[in-house]
Tab-separated table of all heavy atoms in Angstrom:
chain	number	residue	atom	x	y	z
A	93	PHE	N	107.231	98.838	90.965
A	93	PHE	CA	108.432	99.383	91.607
A	93	PHE	C	109.453	98.276	91.888
A	93	PHE	O	109.112	97.095	91.888
A	93	PHE	CB	108.053	100.104	92.910
A	93	PHE	CG	107.706	99.211	94.082
A	93	PHE	CD1	108.646	98.960	95.080
A	93	PHE	CD2	106.463	98.614	94.201
A	93	PHE	CE1	108.345	98.141	96.169
A	93	PHE	CE2	106.158	97.789	95.275
A	93	PHE	CZ	107.102	97.542	96.260
A	94	VAL	N	110.684	98.686	92.120
A	94	VAL	CA	111.755	97.739	92.441
A	94	VAL	C	112.381	98.151	93.770
A	94	VAL	O	112.805	99.295	93.926
A	94	VAL	CB	112.849	97.728	91.359
A	94	VAL	CG1	113.972	96.755	91.741
A	94	VAL	CG2	112.270	97.366	90.004
A	95	ARG	N	112.429	97.215	94.706
A	95	ARG	CA	113.103	97.473	95.962
A	95	ARG	C	114.065	96.307	96.208
A	95	ARG	O	113.655	95.215	96.613
A	95	ARG	CB	112.091	97.621	97.106
A	95	ARG	CG	112.653	98.261	98.381
A	95	ARG	CD	113.648	97.405	99.092
A	95	ARG	NE	114.088	97.964	100.357
A	95	ARG	CZ	115.346	98.344	100.605
A	95	ARG	NH1	116.268	98.277	99.667
A	95	ARG	NH2	115.669	98.795	101.806
A	96	ASN	N	115.321	96.552	95.889
A	96	ASN	CA	116.346	95.545	96.119
A	96	ASN	C	117.198	95.948	97.311
A	96	ASN	O	117.599	97.099	97.428
A	96	ASN	CB	117.251	95.401	94.891
A	96	ASN	CG	116.520	94.743	93.728
A	96	ASN	OD1	115.439	94.183	93.908
A	96	ASN	ND2	117.108	94.809	92.549
A	97	ASN	N	117.474	94.970	98.173
A	97	ASN	CA	118.398	95.194	99.290
A	97	ASN	C	119.808	94.760	98.916
A	97	ASN	O	120.765	95.116	99.583
A	97	ASN	CB	117.941	94.414	100.515
A	97	ASN	CG	116.663	94.995	101.119
A	97	ASN	OD1	116.718	95.776	102.048
A	97	ASN	ND2	115.519	94.633	100.574
A	146	CYS	N	105.824	98.564	99.770
A	146	CYS	CA	106.997	98.557	100.656
A	146	CYS	C	106.618	99.268	101.954
A	146	CYS	O	105.943	100.303	101.937
A	146	CYS	CB	108.156	99.277	99.971
A	146	CYS	SG	109.612	99.409	101.022
A	196	TYR	N	112.006	83.186	104.462
A	196	TYR	CA	112.482	82.897	103.097
A	196	TYR	C	113.967	83.220	102.943
A	196	TYR	O	114.525	84.036	103.682
A	196	TYR	CB	111.688	83.701	102.057
A	196	TYR	CG	111.933	85.208	102.077
A	196	TYR	CD1	113.085	85.762	101.523
A	196	TYR	CD2	110.993	86.080	102.624
A	196	TYR	CE1	113.311	87.131	101.538
A	196	TYR	CE2	111.202	87.448	102.643
A	196	TYR	CZ	112.368	87.972	102.099
A	196	TYR	OH	112.585	89.325	102.131
A	198	GLY	N	116.509	84.041	99.410
A	198	GLY	CA	116.552	84.231	97.963
A	198	GLY	C	117.976	84.138	97.452
A	198	GLY	O	118.920	84.043	98.234
A	200	ASP	N	119.713	86.419	95.730
A	200	ASP	CA	120.462	87.663	95.517
A	200	ASP	C	121.692	87.704	96.424
A	200	ASP	O	121.760	86.996	97.424
A	200	ASP	CB	119.570	88.902	95.713
A	200	ASP	CG	118.633	88.827	96.916
A	200	ASP	OD1	118.462	87.730	97.490
A	200	ASP	OD2	118.076	89.869	97.285
A	212	ILE	N	118.703	89.566	102.856
A	212	ILE	CA	117.483	89.794	103.628
A	212	ILE	C	116.796	88.448	103.762
A	212	ILE	O	116.819	87.642	102.825
A	212	ILE	CB	116.571	90.851	102.946
A	212	ILE	CG1	115.280	91.112	103.748
A	212	ILE	CG2	116.225	90.438	101.510
A	212	ILE	CD1	114.451	92.292	103.223
A	241	ASN	N	112.014	91.895	89.749
A	241	ASN	CA	110.957	91.629	90.733
A	241	ASN	C	110.947	90.183	91.217
A	241	ASN	O	109.987	89.754	91.863
A	241	ASN	CB	109.585	92.007	90.170
A	241	ASN	CG	109.483	93.475	89.806
A	241	ASN	OD1	109.525	93.828	88.628
A	241	ASN	ND2	109.384	94.342	90.794
A	246	ARG	N	108.921	83.774	93.351
A	246	ARG	CA	108.919	84.620	94.549
A	246	ARG	C	107.698	84.329	95.397
A	246	ARG	O	106.719	83.741	94.932
A	246	ARG	CB	108.947	86.097	94.183
A	246	ARG	CG	107.591	86.624	93.721
A	246	ARG	CD	107.596	88.130	93.523
A	246	ARG	NE	107.871	88.841	94.765
A	246	ARG	CZ	108.078	90.150	94.832
A	246	ARG	NH1	108.049	90.891	93.737
A	246	ARG	NH2	108.298	90.728	95.988
A	254	ALA	N	105.784	94.590	101.777
A	254	ALA	CA	106.299	93.782	100.653
A	254	ALA	C	107.623	93.104	100.990
A	254	ALA	O	108.016	92.148	100.316
A	254	ALA	CB	106.431	94.651	99.403
A	255	SER	N	108.300	93.571	102.032
A	255	SER	CA	109.572	92.945	102.425
A	255	SER	C	109.396	91.489	102.834
A	255	SER	O	110.365	90.733	102.878
A	255	SER	CB	110.205	93.731	103.573
A	255	SER	OG	109.272	93.882	104.623
A	257	SER	N	107.699	89.401	101.064
A	257	SER	CA	107.500	88.650	99.823
A	257	SER	C	108.841	88.403	99.149
A	257	SER	O	109.266	89.153	98.266
A	257	SER	CB	106.551	89.425	98.895
A	257	SER	OG	105.280	89.537	99.502
A	258	GLY	N	109.511	87.341	99.552
A	258	GLY	CA	110.879	87.054	99.116
A	258	GLY	C	110.988	86.816	97.618
A	258	GLY	O	110.193	86.067	97.044
A	259	LYS	N	111.981	87.455	97.005
A	259	LYS	CA	112.224	87.339	95.558
A	259	LYS	C	113.339	86.326	95.302
A	259	LYS	O	114.115	86.004	96.190
A	259	LYS	CB	112.625	88.707	95.001
A	259	LYS	CG	111.585	89.794	95.305
A	259	LYS	CD	111.787	91.051	94.483
A	259	LYS	CE	112.866	91.957	94.999
A	259	LYS	NZ	112.917	93.241	94.244
A	260	TRP	N	113.428	85.862	94.048
A	260	TRP	CA	114.434	84.865	93.636
A	260	TRP	C	114.472	83.732	94.671
A	260	TRP	O	115.515	83.309	95.164
A	260	TRP	CB	115.819	85.531	93.496
A	260	TRP	CG	115.752	86.777	92.663
A	260	TRP	CD1	115.532	86.830	91.317
A	260	TRP	CD2	115.858	88.141	93.106
A	260	TRP	NE1	115.489	88.143	90.908
A	260	TRP	CE2	115.690	88.960	91.978
A	260	TRP	CE3	116.077	88.741	94.359
A	260	TRP	CZ2	115.738	90.345	92.061
A	260	TRP	CZ3	116.125	90.114	94.441
A	260	TRP	CH2	115.960	90.899	93.306
A	281	TYR	N	111.988	97.088	109.577
A	281	TYR	CA	110.579	96.743	109.349
A	281	TYR	C	109.817	96.619	110.668
A	281	TYR	O	108.928	95.782	110.811
A	281	TYR	CB	110.470	95.472	108.484
A	281	TYR	CG	111.204	95.646	107.184
A	281	TYR	CD1	112.466	95.096	106.989
A	281	TYR	CD2	110.661	96.437	106.177
A	281	TYR	CE1	113.167	95.314	105.814
A	281	TYR	CE2	111.356	96.654	105.007
A	281	TYR	CZ	112.603	96.093	104.825
A	281	TYR	OH	113.294	96.309	103.664
B	501	LIG	N1	115.408	88.154	97.924
B	501	LIG	C1	114.905	89.377	98.169
B	501	LIG	N2	113.579	89.505	98.373
B	501	LIG	C2	113.052	90.737	98.617
B	501	LIG	C3	113.866	91.892	98.697
B	501	LIG	C4	115.262	91.721	98.465
B	501	LIG	O1	116.046	92.686	98.493
B	501	LIG	N3	115.738	90.461	98.203
B	501	LIG	N4	113.307	93.098	99.003
B	501	LIG	C5	112.045	93.059	99.729
B	501	LIG	C6	111.415	94.353	99.892
B	501	LIG	S1	112.001	95.349	101.150
B	501	LIG	C7	110.344	94.729	99.136
B	501	LIG	S2	109.543	96.187	99.400
B	501	LIG	C8	109.862	93.862	98.041
B	501	LIG	C9	109.885	94.631	96.738
B	501	LIG	O2	109.367	93.868	95.695
B	501	LIG	P1	109.534	94.397	94.196
B	501	LIG	O3	110.953	94.818	94.004
B	501	LIG	O4	109.118	93.273	93.333
B	501	LIG	O5	108.600	95.575	94.034
B	501	LIG	O6	110.639	92.699	97.875
B	501	LIG	C10	111.075	92.093	99.064
B	501	LIG	N5	111.712	90.832	98.780
Side-chain angles (χ1 to χ4, degrees):
F93 75 100
V94 179
R95 196 292 185 244
N96 289 347
N97 290 264
C146 176
Y196 69 77
D200 43 347
I212 180 171
N241 300 104
R246 77 173 298 172
S255 53
S257 297
K259 304 194 280 186
W260 310 290
Y281 304 101

